[in-house]
Amino acid sequence: MEHKGFSDSLWIFVSLAVLMPHTTNGDVSYSIPEEMEHGSVLGNIAKDLGIDSGTLSARKARIDAAGNKRYCEINLKTGELTVNERIDREELCSEKPLCTLKFELVLERPLALHRFTLQIQDINDNSPSFPKDVVRLEIRESADKGARFRVNEAHDTDIGQNAVQSYSLQRNEYFTVSVSSHASGRKNVELVLDKELDREKQEEVTVILTASDGGSPPRSGTVAIHVTVLDANDNAPVFNQDIYEATLAENAPVDTVVLTVTATDADEGPNGQVTYEFSRLSNKARRAFSLDSFTGEIKVIGPIDFEEDSKFEILVEGKDGFGLSSDTKVVINIADMNDNSPVIYLKSLNNPIPENAPPGTEVGIINIQDVDSDKNGQVRCHIEDNAPFQLIQSITNYYSLVTTAELDREVLSDYNITVIATDEGSPSLSASKVLQFSVADVNDNSPVFERQSYSAYVNENNKPGSSIGLVAARDPDWRQNGTVLYSLLPGEINGFPVSSLVSVNGDTGVIHAVRSFDYEQFKSFKIHVMARDNGSPPLNSNVTVHVLLSDVNDNLPQILYPTPDGNTFMTEMVPKAIQANSLVSKVIAVDADSGQNAWLSYHIVKSTDPGLFIIGVHNGEIRTQRDISESDVMKQTLVVSVRDNGLPPLSATCTVNLLISDNLAEVPELKDMTSSDGSSKLTTYLIIALVSVSTFFLTFIIITIAVKVCQRRKPTMLFDGALAIPSAYLPPNYADVDGTGTLRSTYNYDAYLTTGSRTSDFKFARSYNDGTLPADMTLKKSLSIDHDSLIDSIDLAQVG
């Protein structure tokens, strides 16, 4: 039964008993009532221990129940200790007068341990109860007034004032109740016959016995006593010992005989036959022991665990055939055996561990528990593996796992540490636990290229964006610390920024050409590639890449002389008296390529008279194959092809016009040549202008020569100069091809004329050094003699 007044009294008791901590040797103890509601505040343990509540979360404050359930919890924000689970004093401590729970408050960084206890105070939450709902008594009608009949006392799991305090009997005409106390503290409840029974008047009598406790408000329990009126049984069984005591090893096997109780009855026959039964025992004892009702033998029927119960107290009742009884107390002490292995609890583990952590760094906290007692519960702990770690015991049963050397993730990135705990029992028991953690990477390695330098080969005229090479670097660090990014170091090559020539893929290291390369502009160049990791701070290394270009035959031979311009009319004068193998002209060409791509060869692909002229394959000199005869055509046209030695070969053509004549009077026939060649009107106008200017110039020359001839009377060299190629004929980068074998800077010719005869000797276009151009001379525009001047000079010589 429960009443509102009970709840009010309970909270008054809480207000007086709870939240009144006291310290003992630095520890805190709280006295609280049982059955408090979940979340009820027991006290501010942080304040009581002098701990700053603001640091509880950072220090990972927690309650370690040391084998108990988590009956309480700590609020990490306020430091208050609150109820976490239902606390039942009767379940925890049974009938012990003092019920105490021990806990540990564990703090980290630094490791600290504070012990506190909860003293559980009993409240009146249990009603008295009798062993049976109905007590059956058989009383002889001959029983005298005042005869006493024992009744099993009621039991209340509460203690102290909340236990059974009084008994009352329902009003009746036959019986009263009498209560007396034993020296052991137990109560003897007896029915007292107040009026003699008359079996013939009433064969059965039923009365109600009520047991009440001393709580406020009180609780009560009842039992019906059914009395059957019989004849004569005036002796109750008597046990030969007031208290039976035995010691039993925990984990004793089933059917183990603990002890045997014995009671005797002075009566004879059925009145003296004694049977046994448990009159009071806990639920745990009921599951652990059995009692033979005829022999009084107590046996083990269930598991016995010293760590749960170290002692059992049982009441055994002996009853004769007609209801008279007595009881005795049986005490069974449980002996501890080393049957529990140590248990390893990982309280904290810093995972992962930075590889640059100094030796002595605390990486974990381990707690070892062994619920056995004495030596069976004393534990030694060590690390089995040969690893750079050790266990340091700082507080009882607490160990700090610390490093003993520097770690290197690149050598070993993961550790499996086996912790072994062994107790000192006989035989000893042990337990192991594997701690797994990894080493966190630190950016302590720079990227390393696979080679000390790289070479990339690429043909000129490559496509922009094409791949020309690959660099690769490795970084043994992890994730972003080992992620390698590539970039070009800034610089210039022949005045061009490096970035305008090549680029590098930042992820793969592939080098791409930004533009198409020209071998004639770049033959080779160097770039510097940097490999940088993505760590903080980043680390890097550099490597040199040599880019080598290969020449491609991509330039046509360029003819410098005669000019290949189709609108320009150029004609060489060839005297009729010239002999075989005489040099009459020269085709001059260059090729901007190099190597065999610039080796030129000259070929006459078309001529007016195929047997009259021949051209040097390697030097381009046009010579006569035979003497000129009167039957030869005056106007000779040669189509010359200049071809390089590339694959495939490239070529260019030019037209060489030769006029076989000793007299400029035949010049008008040039018109026919131009007409026959299909020249434009512009060419005709130019010829007319040329003839006009030449006539004026020749008149001046004739007068000058005549004066000189009269003075000297000797052959005079009218012309001794060099036939130079104007610089305008040279390509813009011609200077780059010097030494390739195509053309030297100048090519000089001597022309000799004598007076006094129409058949004067004429040495035409004899080259210096046997047709070889001096290497130390350059083309000069001031020394050039155009075609018109040459014609005028020849005509003047003929007139003279």
Side-chain angles (χ1 to χ4, degrees):
M1 297 185 299
E2 295 187 3
H3 304 283
K4 182 178 180 181
F6 169 75
S7 300
D8 295 338
S9 300
L10 170 62
W11 288 114
I12 293 173
F13 178 80
V14 171
S15 64
L16 294 176
V18 180
L19 306 179
M20 298 178 62
H22 61 276
T23 60
T24 304
N25 296 329
D27 295 337
V28 178
S29 178
Y30 296 89
S31 179
I32 65 171
E34 63 176 332
E35 303 292 349
M36 293 186 71
E37 293 182 0
H38 181 273
S40 299
V41 178
L42 305 180
N44 194 312
I45 190 169
K47 180 179 179 181
D48 298 333
L49 292 174
I51 301 172
D52 183 5
S53 60
T55 64
L56 295 177
S57 179
R59 296 185 65 184
K60 299 181 180 180
R62 58 186 177 274
I63 302 298
D64 195 330
N68 294 325
K69 294 182 179 180
R70 297 181 64 85
Y71 290 110
C72 59
E73 189 58 85
I74 183 172
N75 188 319
L76 297 180
K77 294 182 179 179
T78 62
E80 292 179 339
L81 199 64
T82 59
V83 174
N84 189 48
E85 290 187 15
R86 173 176 174 267
I87 302 176
D88 187 353
R89 191 205 64 82
E90 288 74 26
E91 181 180 353
L92 292 173
C93 303
S94 188
E95 296 180 2
K96 294 179 181 179
L98 182 62
C99 185
T100 302
L101 297 180
K102 296 181 180 180
F103 299 89
E104 295 174 347
L105 174 63
V106 182
L107 300 169
E108 296 183 17
R109 290 180 288 189
L111 179 64
L113 179 67
H114 299 275
R115 295 181 175 86
F116 67 95
T117 58
L118 297 182
Q119 296 181 3
I120 311 303
Q121 303 297 331
D122 182 53
I123 64 173
N124 192 24
D125 59 339
N126 293 283
S127 300
S129 62
F130 289 89
K132 297 180 179 180
D133 294 335
V134 178
V135 175
R136 299 185 181 279
L137 297 178
E138 294 178 349
I139 303 177
R140 288 185 178 275
E141 60 180 355
S142 60
D144 296 333
K145 181 181 179 179
R148 296 175 178 269
F149 303 93
R150 181 181 174 277
V151 178
N152 289 334
E153 66 175 318
H155 177 64
D156 193 336
T157 55
D158 296 326
I159 62 173
Q161 190 66 24
N162 295 326
V164 177
Q165 300 296 322
S166 62
Y167 292 86
S168 62
L169 189 65
Q170 181 187 21
R171 183 178 295 277
N172 64 89
E173 62 178 321
Y174 294 105
F175 297 99
T176 61
V177 63
S178 174
V179 181
S180 60
S181 298
H182 288 285
S184 62
R186 293 186 292 110
K187 296 184 181 300
N188 185 31
V189 182
E190 296 177 313
L191 286 181
V192 179
L193 187 61
D194 189 51
K195 179 182 177 181
E196 293 181 354
L197 299 174
D198 187 354
R199 181 177 177 278
E200 285 72 23
K201 183 179 178 179
Q202 189 175 353
E203 293 183 355
E204 296 181 348
V205 177
T206 301
V207 295
I208 303 300
L209 178 64
T210 301
S212 301
D213 59 25
S216 178
R219 290 173 174 260
S220 61
T222 60
V223 64
I225 302 176
H226 185 77
V227 178
T228 301
V229 181
L230 298 176
D231 291 333
N233 185 25
D234 53 354
N235 290 288
V238 177
F239 284 94
N240 57 6
Q241 291 180 218
D242 290 336
I243 298 177
Y244 288 85
E245 189 168 1
T247 299
L248 178 67
E250 67 172 329
N251 299 326
V254 176
D255 291 336
T256 298
V257 177
V258 181
L259 55 82
T260 301
V261 296
T262 302
T264 58
D265 193 321
D267 296 324
E268 294 182 355
N271 295 332
Q273 293 180 356
V274 180
T275 57
Y276 306 92
E277 62 182 28
F278 291 126
S279 65
R280 192 183 73 190
L281 74 168
S282 64
N283 291 332
K284 291 182 180 179
R286 191 180 301 276
R287 293 191 294 268
F289 303 103
S290 65
L291 174 62
D292 191 308
S293 59
F294 297 104
T295 64
E297 189 177 68
I298 298 176
K299 290 184 178 181
V300 175
I301 61 171
I304 308 296
D305 191 349
F306 172 84
E307 287 69 42
E308 291 185 4
D309 291 285
S310 59
K311 182 170 67 173
F312 291 93
E313 293 185 358
I314 303 173
L315 292 182
V316 177
E317 180 183 24
K319 183 191 303 184
D320 62 19
F322 294 98
L324 297 181
S325 65
S326 63
D327 60 8
T328 186
K329 184 176 183 179
V330 177
V331 177
I332 302 175
N333 296 305
I334 306 302
D336 181 46
M337 303 295 291
N338 190 27
D339 60 339
N340 291 281
S341 299
V343 180
I344 303 173
Y345 296 98
L346 180 62
K347 297 298 184 180
S348 176
L349 183 63
N350 299 327
N351 189 22
I353 306 171
E355 63 176 324
N356 61 351
T361 300
E362 182 181 84
V363 298
I365 298 175
I366 297 173
N367 176 233
I368 310 298
Q369 297 287 344
D370 193 324
V371 295
D372 291 325
S373 60
D374 299 330
K375 286 188 176 181
N376 295 332
Q378 296 179 6
V379 181
R380 301 184 307 273
C381 189
H382 68 280
I383 295 177
E384 182 181 52
D385 307 280
N386 185 20
F389 299 92
Q390 66 176 353
L391 290 173
I392 299 177
Q393 185 174 7
S394 54
I395 304 174
T396 303
N397 294 333
Y398 278 86
Y399 295 83
S400 295
L401 180 64
V402 299
T403 60
T404 59
E406 292 185 354
L407 307 179
D408 190 345
R409 192 202 68 84
E410 287 70 45
V411 175
L412 186 60
S413 60
D414 296 284
Y415 285 92
N416 293 326
I417 304 300
T418 302
V419 177
I420 298 179
T422 305
D423 62 28
E424 297 185 2
S426 181
S428 62
L429 300 178
S430 62
S432 63
K433 189 177 187 67
V434 178
L435 307 182
Q436 297 179 340
F437 53 86
S438 58
V439 180
D441 184 50
V442 175
N443 192 26
D444 55 351
N445 291 280
S446 300
V448 178
F449 283 95
E450 294 179 349
R451 301 179 185 175
Q452 294 182 352
S453 63
Y454 291 83
S455 296
Y457 299 91
V458 57
N459 292 329
E460 66 170 330
N461 302 327
N462 59 291
K463 293 183 179 180
S466 61
S467 172
I468 64 174
L470 171 69
V471 296
R474 299 290 181 266
D475 193 321
D477 291 326
W478 194 47
R479 287 189 176 175
Q480 66 178 15
N481 293 333
T483 301
V484 179
L485 303 176
Y486 303 92
S487 62
L488 286 175
L489 292 180
E492 290 188 355
I493 299 174
N494 292 353
F496 294 94
V498 173
S499 58
S500 67
L501 300 178
V502 296
S503 66
V504 62
N505 188 302
D507 297 324
T508 63
V510 176
I511 301 174
H512 297 274
V514 174
R515 54 176 286 184
S516 178
F517 295 125
D518 188 356
Y519 177 82
E520 288 69 42
Q521 187 178 20
F522 300 104
K523 291 182 174 59
S524 67
F525 57 87
K526 295 180 181 179
I527 62 173
H528 300 282
V529 178
M530 179 180 70
R532 175 180 60 84
D533 61 30
N534 206 23
S536 179
L539 302 177
N540 62 75
S541 60
N542 303 332
V543 72
T544 300
V545 179
H546 300 266
V547 180
L548 305 174
L549 300 181
S550 298
D551 184 48
V552 174
N553 191 27
D554 59 343
N555 291 282
L556 294 171
Q558 186 172 356
I559 300 175
L560 305 181
Y561 184 85
T563 174
D565 188 356
N567 296 327
T568 302
F569 177 71
M570 299 184 65
T571 303
E572 299 282 357
M573 298 291 292
V574 179
K576 291 182 179 180
I578 194 170
Q579 297 179 357
N581 199 32
S582 297
L583 178 65
V584 298
S585 185
K586 178 177 176 66
V587 176
I588 303 173
V590 295
D591 194 318
D593 292 323
S594 63
Q596 68 177 9
N597 294 329
W599 297 349
L600 302 180
S601 61
Y602 301 85
H603 307 275
I604 296 175
V605 297
K606 182 179 180 182
S607 65
T608 304
D609 188 347
L612 183 55
F613 299 100
I614 190 172
I615 191 169
V617 175
H618 301 294
N619 55 25
E621 294 179 349
I622 300 176
R623 297 177 180 271
T624 57
Q625 294 191 78
R626 58 178 175 80
D627 296 340
I628 296 176
S629 64
E630 293 294 334
S631 62
D632 290 328
V633 179
M634 179 182 297
K635 294 175 292 185
Q636 295 287 333
T637 300
L638 303 179
V639 179
V640 179
S641 172
V642 182
R643 185 171 60 208
D644 61 26
N645 199 36
L647 288 175
L650 301 178
S651 63
T653 61
C654 65
T655 301
V656 179
N657 295 312
L658 301 176
L659 182 61
I660 302 175
S661 176
D662 294 329
N663 191 349
L664 289 178
E666 301 173 355
V667 168
E669 296 182 4
L670 293 174
K671 294 182 180 181
D672 298 335
M673 181 181 293
T674 59
S675 298
S676 63
D677 294 338
S679 301
S680 65
K681 291 182 180 182
L682 179 61
T683 305
T684 303
Y685 296 147
L686 292 175
I687 293 174
I688 294 172
L690 177 63
V691 172
S692 299
V693 173
S694 298
T695 302
F696 175 77
F697 182 71
L698 287 174
T699 303
F700 175 78
I701 293 298
I702 291 172
I703 296 172
T704 303
I705 292 176
V707 173
K708 291 185 178 182
V709 167
C710 292
Q711 291 177 353
R712 296 186 179 182
R713 295 291 183 178
K714 62 180 179 179
T716 303
M717 184 180 67
L718 297 179
F719 174 76
D720 187 4
L723 177 61
I725 306 303
S727 61
Y729 291 152
L730 297 176
N733 58 347
Y734 173 65
D736 188 50
V737 301
D738 187 21
T740 61
T742 60
L743 178 66
R744 296 184 183 272
S745 300
T746 62
Y747 203 99
N748 296 335
Y749 294 90
D750 287 340
Y752 299 95
L753 299 176
T754 60
T755 60
S757 173
R758 283 183 169 234
T759 59
S760 301
D761 294 336
F762 173 69
K763 184 176 183 183
F764 183 76
R766 184 178 64 82
S767 64
Y768 289 115
N769 299 327
D770 297 329
T772 303
L773 296 176
D776 59 346
M777 299 179 66
T778 59
L779 295 174
K780 297 182 180 179
K781 188 172 184 180
S782 60
L783 298 179
S784 64
I785 301 177
D786 58 16
H787 185 70
D788 297 335
S789 300
L790 180 60
I791 294 175
D792 294 341
S793 299
I794 295 174
D795 185 56
L796 181 60
Q798 293 293 335
V799 173

